[in-house]
Amino acid sequence: MNQKKLVMFAAEIFDRLSAAGWWIPALLMRLFVGYFFMETGWGKIHNLNAFTTRFAQWGIPHPAFNAALSAYTEFLGGALTILGLGMRFVSIPMIINMIVAILTVKLKNVSGLDDFAELDEPLYALSFVWLFFSGAGWLSVDGLFKRALNFWIRPERSQATVGALSTRCAEARDDANGLRDF
């Protein structure tokens, strides 16, 4: 392989990575963070009395209500995050849940930036900030809705895409028929 072909090959690889760079990280982030919160929320829901007791010990007002709110926010937010359904809307209560956890519980044990950087909650909050701005990605319920909406709202664009795909299929069929002649 000469140098020009090698450079073109590398450029093609980077182009493909860039194209995948939008939806693969969003998918992986959603699956990991969503599963984590769905699982922890499920555990808190099924042990709500102990979770409420901890809220009371931390001095959080209305501990029964706030413990249930936090547990269900985590569980439902995690499930919706996995699906990529309403990702930008779901991110807001998840970020708020993490900020409240940081301010009411975790910050009491922080004496400096090093301690703060070692907390999990800011990282989870930042994960949801990223998902808020980036969206759920191509492989999500939101992505399916977006594609369906684009097809419905812009039929001329969708028809152009269908036409282009039909032309490509016809060309591929013709190429395949040409190969049979050999």
Side-chain angles (χ1 to χ4, degrees), residues 17 92 145 150:
L17 285 173
I92 295 168
F145 283 153
N150 280 339

Side-chain angles (χ1 to χ4, degrees), residues 64-99:
F65 172 77
N66 284 317
L69 179 64
S70 177
Y72 281 99
T73 297
E74 285 187 18
F75 177 72
L76 294 173
L80 293 171
T81 298
I82 289 171
L83 295 172
L85 177 58
M87 192 70 255
R88 288 188 165 100
F89 297 113
V90 169
S91 294
I92 295 168
M94 299 301 282
I95 293 166
I96 292 169
N97 207 25
M98 290 299 96
I99 290 171

